[in-house]
Amino acid sequence: MSILLPSRPAFWRFTFVVSALLFFLTAFQTAERARDLGVDLSASRGWLGLVSGLTLLGLAALALLALTWSHLQQRILSLAELPERAPPAFHWMGGILVGIAVIGFSLVFMLPVVGGLLGAIGWMRMLVFWAFSLLGMLGFKMLRRETSWLMALIAVMLCQSTFHLLLLYWQRVTDYPFAMGWSETSRFYQPSFFFSNLVYGERYHWPIQNPSLHMLLAPPYLFDAPLWFHRFWQVALRYLFVGAIAPALMSRLAIPGRLARWVIGLWMFLYLFMGPVYFHLAIPIILVLLGFSREDDRRTWIAVLLASVWCGWSRVNWYPMPGIIAALLYLLEVPVNGKSLWRYLLKQALWFIVGTLVAFLSQRLYIALSGVGDSGL
């Protein structure tokens, strides 16, 4: 790990370069924003002061960068690293700085004045995010001196990003009466069929499109849940199941160091949560990741079969996925060790074939139970 870390001067030069670029780019874009709003910079002290201040801060960052190649290098770096030499009595300040850094970016742009006026300036958002990242990095070093500066910076940036993403997604919990996205109404309508007697007073067949998804969304119909609770339930399930993929995958990776594991786990969570990952399809992934065992074939078979049953209630193109994931884990974790190619691949082929067959049979069983045949559809 230490081999991959940059040298002390290289890290701080990188920090000063990024800071200078962000200040200059933000100043330029802020001036453009003022012109778009019809503001005369020469006549507006506020806008002119903002652009001038950003430019001066950019020049200051460049000056610090230049000094790292002078005889003042050690003094500059020592001053920048002052927080890691803070006495233990001041460690509580580090916790406060980290807390402010994690939520600061989101709170700043939630303010109507800031969000409406400066939120459209892309580089301003990047600059504010960077500034809170540096603040959190300083606080992190006050708490954990042994952590490298680069790791502290990455950890705070990932925590900021995770908090902001979760906060944005939470805004979907609302009682807005109209659809907030494509096919949202079907996610309210089709789950109701699982409790059609309770909801409509008459039995209807279960949904046959994405049944596992609608099965997970059905519990709010057990009581007279308001619209906002249905949306809350969807958000909570996405938090739970998509988020659970990261620790399930981390359990299979031998990553030394608790902090490194947390950082990589957060990165995985962000990557998955930003993508179009259906939370009901996360369940078979979690089952196979947690259930696969290179020593216990019975445990692996149980995980593959359970995941295949769920995939049979999900999507046709996911029928073979549990077997494929198990086969991939086997290829990654189990060496050939002189086995013949046929013997080495046999188990993986069986997982694929049997898992796909079980998924197909599971789907047929669901259709038989759904009542679709009884309704003549």
Side-chain angles (χ1 to χ4, degrees), residues 27-93:
F28 176 77
Q29 204 170 43
T30 301
E32 286 190 330
R33 174 66 172 166
R35 285 193 292 269
D36 292 340
L37 294 173
V39 176
D40 183 1
L41 280 179
S42 61
S44 174
R45 292 184 178 180
W47 283 93
L48 181 60
L50 179 58
V51 173
S52 300
L54 291 168
T55 304
L56 289 174
L57 289 172
L59 292 173
L62 284 182
L64 291 172
L65 174 66
L67 289 174
T68 60
W69 276 284
S70 71
H71 66 280
L72 296 175
Q73 180 193 93
Q74 293 303 317
R75 185 174 298 180
I76 296 296
L77 299 186
S78 179
L79 184 63
E81 296 171 352
L82 185 62
E84 72 175 354
R85 299 192 297 275
F90 290 93
H91 283 185
W92 60 271
M93 293 181 61

Side-chain angles (χ1 to χ4, degrees), residues 20 36 52 90 92 95 109 123 131 152 182 213 236 243 258 282-283 305 320 342 344 357 366 375:
D36 292 340
S52 300
F90 290 93
W92 60 271
F109 285 100
W123 288 114
W182 176 257
L213 169 63
R258 185 178 179 183
I283 292 177
L305 294 177
W342 167 253
Y344 183 73
L357 179 61
Y366 175 85
S375 65

Side-chain angles (χ1 to χ4, degrees), residues 210-213 216 237-238 241-242 245 276-287 307 310-319 321-322 325:
N210 292 328
S212 62
L213 169 63
L216 290 173
L237 289 179
R238 183 164 170 80
F241 291 121
V242 176
I245 295 177
V277 178
Y278 286 109
F279 58 79
H280 66 295
L281 296 179
I283 292 177
I285 298 175
I286 297 167
L287 285 173
W310 186 262
C311 287
W313 297 349
S314 300
R315 292 186 166 217
V316 173
N317 56 331
W318 268 70
Y319 285 5
M321 284 309 298
I325 296 172

Side-chain angles (χ1 to χ4, degrees), residues 207-324:
I208 57 174
Q209 182 183 22
N210 292 328
S212 62
L213 169 63
H214 299 122
M215 193 182 303
L216 290 173
L217 297 177
Y221 284 102
L222 288 171
F223 62 98
D224 190 17
L227 177 59
W228 69 264
F229 187 85
H230 283 271
R231 287 178 170 142
F232 160 78
W233 187 253
Q234 293 187 42
V235 169
L237 289 179
R238 183 164 170 80
Y239 282 168
L240 175 63
F241 291 121
V242 176
I245 295 177
L249 182 55
M250 288 296 297
S251 68
R252 311 212 63 87
L253 302 178
I255 300 174
R258 185 178 179 183
L259 178 60
R261 293 180 65 82
W262 271 98
V263 167
I264 295 173
L266 279 177
W267 178 84
M268 289 180 181
F269 176 81
L270 282 170
Y271 179 81
L272 292 169
F273 214 83
M274 288 189 296
V277 178
Y278 286 109
F279 58 79
H280 66 295
L281 296 179
I283 292 177
I285 298 175
I286 297 167
L287 285 173
V288 179
L289 286 175
L290 294 178
F292 178 85
S293 172
R294 52 187 295 178
E295 293 87 14
D296 188 350
D297 286 346
R298 184 174 61 179
R299 175 178 161 181
T300 302
W301 272 110
I302 291 173
V304 170
L305 294 177
L306 287 176
S308 297
V309 169
W310 186 262
C311 287
W313 297 349
S314 300
R315 292 186 166 217
V316 173
N317 56 331
W318 268 70
Y319 285 5
M321 284 309 298
I324 291 175

Side-chain angles (χ1 to χ4, degrees), residues 341-376:
L341 184 61
W342 167 253
R343 185 180 175 188
Y344 183 73
L345 296 178
L346 177 61
K347 217 182 282 187
Q348 302 163 60
L350 287 175
W351 289 331
F352 176 83
I353 296 170
V354 175
T356 303
L357 179 61
V358 167
F360 173 76
L361 294 175
S362 168
Q363 184 226 34
R364 303 311 300 175
L365 176 62
Y366 175 85
I367 292 176
L369 295 174
S370 69
V372 173
D374 298 337
S375 65

Side-chain angles (χ1 to χ4, degrees), residues 7-19:
S7 65
R8 184 183 176 212
F11 172 77
W12 286 108
R13 287 166 184 163
F14 164 79
T15 303
F16 295 145
V17 167
V18 172
S19 300

